[in-house]
Amino acid sequence: MFIKSLGEFELIHRLKDLLPPSGPDVVVGIDDDAAAFTPGNDLSLLSVDAFVEGVHFDLRLISFRQLGWRLLAANLSDIAAMGGIPRLAVVAMALRGDLQVREVEALYRGMADLAERFDVAVVGGDTTKSPDRLFFSLAIFGDVARERLALRSGACAGDAVLVTGDLGRSRAGLRVLKSGKAQWLKRFDAAVSKYRTPVPRVEEARFLVERFPVHSMIDISDGLASEVHHLCQASTVGACITAEDIPIGLQTRQVAKLNQEEALQYALSGGEDFELLFTLPYDRSLEVAGALTDEFDLPCTVVGRIVAPDKGVKLRQGDKEVPLQATGFDHFKA
Amino acid sequence: MFIKSLGEFELIHRLKDLLPPSGPDVVVGIDDDAAAFTPGNDLSLLSVDAFVEGVHFDLRLISFRQLGWRLLAANLSDIAAMGGIPRLAVVAMALRGDLQVREVEALYRGMADLAERFDVAVVGGDTTKSPDRLFFSLAIFGDVARERLALRSGACAGDAVLVTGDLGRSRAGLRVLKSGKAQWLKRFDAAVSKYRTPVPRVEEARFLVERFPVHSMIDISDGLASEVHHLCQASTVGACITAEDIPIGLQTRQVAKLNQEEALQYALSGGEDFELLFTLPYDRSLEVAGALTDEFDLPCTVVGRIVAPDKGVKLRQGDKEVPLQATGFDHFKA
């Protein structure tokens, strides 16, 4: 059935039933002009992201259910990067009338899958029409104790620069999907699922800010190079990143090779890995990497050091140091 | 200058400078992964709206500055309808690369105009590309003391149904703009500004929930008929609205007449008046109407009564009672 046959209000009614019940902290959810809830910790967090068909996603490469997951994952990653606990999400959708009801339901199911995993309530939003291009926007509310808040701006010269997981895998997954080669999809399944259903590092970020003196943190949504620049700019510091130390997985290397591309470039400028980039005093860096691996079975790697601002932002490759180009995606210049 | 020449990050930098400085409750604004702020009252409020070019706005009928105002106004109205205080907004924009920098700046200025008036901090968002259709989404955070919270679901049989201001004026303004007649624009200036730069009833709603036993409240964004249905459905009650009592301004009547349309239909199904619809015990209704007029110089009118659910939702016209059709906009069926 088309959503235009069902109508806006009946559609909203159906979607509501797909969401996990919200906890006692939510006084009113999807049924009123706004959601009402108890705020929790002493600091509140708020973020919004937009997702445009043909720019952020292509429905030939991702299912509606995976897309729903991915939209929420990007938002959760923003809250994680602040050291926060995601609590509630609201979603705005501009939909074509000829979408199937089951397609929109699948999108909500994908959101519900991830929402349930992180105990996030999806509490409403706005459902409207687009004549052609699909648009989604998610806003997320979270909270954090003031002493746990992790900003981009706290990095100090001497800090170690660390990243969770491995980088460039999402880009590799996208390359596999765009190739259209069925055997690649199977062979590079880990890359493909990193692209389609990334798991935001919410628990890992909480663990970090609770146990370690994290000076600064940001999530990697635009590629390592761009995020290092954001962090250095906000903190008024420089950085030196060591190319050989950037963690790149086997599948990422293989996909890059098959495409005659540099795996390093996937890591530096491929976006949407949703890993964490953070800094803390160098003498704690081995300890934190070990703790994160022990607790979450997730690699955590020192990739460089924060230096004085006049040293700039550099990439060390072998014996050479070159300026690290902020090659992340610029939406308008791209 | 085109925004594609300026680039995403320089654009964001410029837009930031247009926003009023945020208060001490905002710990981090536009510069991090999420905004961080103190939550305020014991209940938090969150809402999101989407605005699609060609569906919600037409740049031939509204300037970028007016559009910025209008986007935020719609959001503020949602918080008002809960009896809340709007605090922070975040905005997601999908923009064409060939927009002028000054156009996007004007949009932000329009938001800043209204944000300043209501002491709302605009604390960031997401700026991204759309190949064609413009898309905006605003999310708003507000707060409210639990005992002030006004829901759709509290209406009781016997309540008076009241509305602020006059209805159908925004629709009349849109008709004037669509006519393209320059002399109409001047003659019906009040209708046109109601459409372009509506003032959300934030202060009026606060006044109401602080002084009076408001049982239920909703903002009129989809026309009176549709909102009465929403409220009755949420409260499991019926209602009887008296057509003659619905406040309709002179300009609205004149515009309807010139278009050979019914002014009553503008009020019942014309959206985006952003007035308040609320119910409270009948014996307080004259007092509340007087108080609101005294305080804000704003008409407030009893338009009907809440009745038992089995009586349904009716419109009384002269001696006749007919079912009140929920003629508000359905995005998919329309």
Side-chain angles (χ1 to χ4, degrees):
Chain A
M1 189 194 294
F2 295 126
I3 60 171
K4 67 182 171 195
S5 316
L6 193 63
E8 179 180 348
F9 299 107
E10 182 58 29
L11 176 66
I12 292 169
H13 186 75
R14 284 219 201 175
L15 295 178
K16 205 171 73 174
D17 289 344
L18 298 174
L19 297 171
S22 38
D25 53 327
V26 179
V27 178
V28 199
I30 206 165
D31 297 308
D32 221 297
D33 295 293
F37 52 97
T38 54
N41 268 305
D42 59 346
L43 279 185
S44 296
L45 302 170
L46 182 63
S47 179
V48 67
D49 276 322
F51 306 89
V52 182
E53 186 179 19
V55 177
H56 300 88
F57 62 90
D58 178 338
L59 288 168
R60 293 166 300 186
L61 307 182
I62 193 166
S63 72
F64 276 93
R65 188 154 184 165
Q66 290 158 349
L67 179 61
W69 173 292
R70 199 157 177 276
L71 301 183
L72 185 57
N75 257 258
L76 296 185
S77 187
D78 283 327
I79 298 296
M82 306 293 284
I85 305 165
R87 298 267 316 280
L88 288 94
V90 284
V91 52
M93 311 192 285
L95 306 172
R96 284 188 292 273
D98 65 353
L99 285 186
Q100 300 284 340
V101 173
R102 62 170 169 70
E103 292 174 322
V104 186
E105 285 179 339
L107 184 104
Y108 252 65
R109 281 209 180 86
M111 279 197 290
D113 291 341
L114 191 60
E116 206 154 12
R117 175 156 172 176
F118 288 107
D119 201 18
V120 170
V122 179
V123 288
D126 191 15
T127 304
T128 179
K129 185 174 67 177
S130 170
D132 34 50
R133 201 172 287 281
L134 300 183
F135 296 98
F136 300 97
S137 175
L138 261 84
I140 189 141
F141 174 89
D143 63 55
V144 63
R146 194 178 281 259
E147 65 274 19
R148 308 275 193 239
L149 182 67
L151 301 180
R152 296 178 176 187
S153 55
C156 308
D159 279 2
V161 178
L162 294 101
V163 296
T164 59
D166 59 274
L167 303 183
R169 185 138 58 101
S170 180
R171 168 65 59 93
L174 181 58
R175 281 282 189 274
V176 168
L177 287 165
K178 282 190 168 172
S179 78
K181 292 180 181 156
Q183 74 277 25
W184 281 24
L185 254 95
K186 207 165 169 184
R187 180 170 168 202
F188 302 117
D189 57 335
V192 168
S193 27
K194 181 73 175 180
Y195 174 78
R196 284 178 164 162
T197 52
V199 178
R201 301 304 181 193
V202 175
E203 285 153 2
E204 294 82 351
R206 292 292 302 161
F207 179 84
L208 288 172
V209 296
E210 278 167 12
R211 312 277 183 104
F212 293 94
V214 172
H215 283 170
S216 66
M217 187 151 64
I218 188 171
D219 72 318
I220 304 180
S221 51
D222 278 338
L224 178 65
S226 180
E227 308 302 354
V228 168
H229 274 279
H230 288 317
L231 192 137
C232 286
Q233 196 175 4
S235 299
T236 325
V237 294
C240 182
I241 304 298
T242 307
E244 290 92 279
D245 293 340
I246 297 172
I248 299 175
L250 182 63
Q251 290 199 358
T252 307
R253 293 185 189 281
Q254 290 171 330
V255 171
K257 198 169 175 191
L258 286 166
N259 283 289
Q260 297 177 290
E261 293 174 316
E262 294 278 342
L264 181 63
Q265 283 312 314
Y266 286 15
L268 290 175
S269 65
E272 299 173 323
D273 280 316
F274 301 120
E275 296 292 347
L276 299 168
L277 169 70
F278 62 101
T279 79
L280 45 55
Y282 205 87
D283 58 12
R284 304 293 298 274
S285 57
L286 287 182
E287 184 193 344
V288 73
L292 210 62
T293 307
D294 286 347
E295 186 77 17
F296 298 100
D297 194 23
L298 180 75
C300 178
T301 315
V302 178
V303 296
R305 259 187 118 127
I306 297 296
V307 297
D310 59 300
K311 298 265 176 69
V313 181
K314 298 281 171 57
L315 181 71
R316 184 192 296 268
Q317 288 187 286
D319 305 337
K320 280 190 293 190
E321 263 187 23
V322 294
L324 179 66
Q325 304 291 341
T327 44
F329 198 65
D330 185 309
H331 268 288
F332 304 117
K333 290 195 157 171
Chain B
M1 189 195 293
F2 295 125
I3 60 171
K4 67 183 171 196
S5 316
L6 193 64
E8 177 180 350
F9 300 107
E10 183 58 28
L11 177 66
I12 292 169
H13 187 73
R14 284 220 200 176
L15 295 179
K16 203 170 73 174
D17 288 344
L18 299 175
L19 297 172
S22 38
D25 54 327
V26 178
V27 178
V28 199
I30 207 163
D31 298 307
D32 220 297
D33 295 292
F37 52 98
T38 54
N41 269 305
D42 58 347
L43 279 185
S44 296
L45 302 170
L46 182 62
S47 179
V48 67
D49 276 322
F51 305 90
V52 182
E53 185 179 21
V55 178
H56 299 86
F57 63 91
D58 178 339
L59 288 167
R60 292 167 301 184
L61 308 182
I62 194 166
S63 72
F64 276 93
R65 187 151 184 169
Q66 291 158 350
L67 180 62
W69 174 291
R70 199 157 177 277
L71 301 182
L72 185 56
N75 257 259
L76 296 185
S77 187
D78 284 327
I79 298 298
M82 306 293 284
I85 304 165
R87 297 269 316 282
L88 289 96
V90 284
V91 53
M93 311 192 283
L95 306 172
R96 286 188 291 272
D98 66 354
L99 285 187
Q100 300 284 342
V101 173
R102 62 170 169 72
E103 292 173 323
V104 186
E105 285 179 340
L107 184 105
Y108 252 64
R109 281 206 181 89
M111 279 196 291
D113 292 340
L114 191 60
E116 207 153 11
R117 174 155 172 176
F118 288 107
D119 201 19
V120 169
V122 179
V123 287
D126 191 15
T127 303
T128 177
K129 185 173 66 174
S130 170
D132 34 50
R133 200 172 286 282
L134 300 183
F135 171 82
F136 300 97
S137 175
L138 262 83
I140 188 140
F141 174 89
D143 63 55
V144 62
R146 195 178 280 258
E147 65 274 19
R148 307 275 194 240
L149 181 67
L151 301 180
R152 296 178 176 187
S153 55
C156 307
D159 279 3
V161 179
L162 295 100
V163 297
T164 59
D166 59 274
L167 303 184
R169 186 138 59 102
S170 180
R171 169 65 59 92
L174 182 58
R175 281 283 188 276
V176 168
L177 287 165
K178 282 190 168 172
S179 78
K181 294 180 180 155
Q183 74 276 26
W184 281 23
L185 254 98
K186 208 165 170 184
R187 180 171 167 200
F188 302 117
D189 57 334
V192 169
S193 24
K194 180 72 175 181
Y195 175 77
R196 283 177 166 162
T197 52
V199 178
R201 302 303 182 193
V202 175
E203 286 153 0
E204 293 82 351
R206 292 293 300 162
F207 179 84
L208 288 172
V209 298
E210 278 167 12
R211 312 277 182 103
F212 293 95
V214 172
H215 283 170
S216 66
M217 188 150 64
I218 187 171
D219 71 319
I220 304 181
S221 53
D222 278 338
L224 178 64
S226 180
E227 308 303 354
V228 169
H229 273 280
H230 288 318
L231 192 137
C232 286
Q233 195 175 7
S235 298
T236 325
V237 293
C240 183
I241 304 298
T242 306
E244 289 93 280
D245 293 341
I246 298 172
I248 300 177
L250 182 62
Q251 291 200 357
T252 306
R253 291 186 190 282
Q254 290 171 332
V255 171
K257 199 170 172 187
L258 285 165
N259 281 290
Q260 298 178 288
E261 293 175 315
E262 295 277 343
L264 181 64
Q265 284 310 314
Y266 286 15
L268 290 175
S269 66
E272 298 171 328
D273 281 316
F274 300 121
E275 296 292 346
L276 299 168
L277 169 70
F278 63 101
T279 78
L280 44 56
Y282 205 87
D283 58 11
R284 303 293 300 273
S285 57
L286 287 183
E287 184 193 344
V288 72
L292 211 62
T293 307
D294 286 347
E295 186 78 17
F296 298 101
D297 194 22
L298 180 75
C300 179
T301 315
V302 178
V303 296
R305 261 189 117 125
I306 296 297
V307 297
D310 59 302
K311 298 263 176 72
V313 181
K314 297 283 169 56
L315 182 71
R316 185 192 294 268
Q317 288 187 285
D319 305 336
K320 279 190 294 192
E321 264 187 20
V322 294
L324 179 68
Q325 303 292 341
T327 44
F329 199 64
D330 185 310
H331 269 289
F332 304 116
K333 290 194 157 172

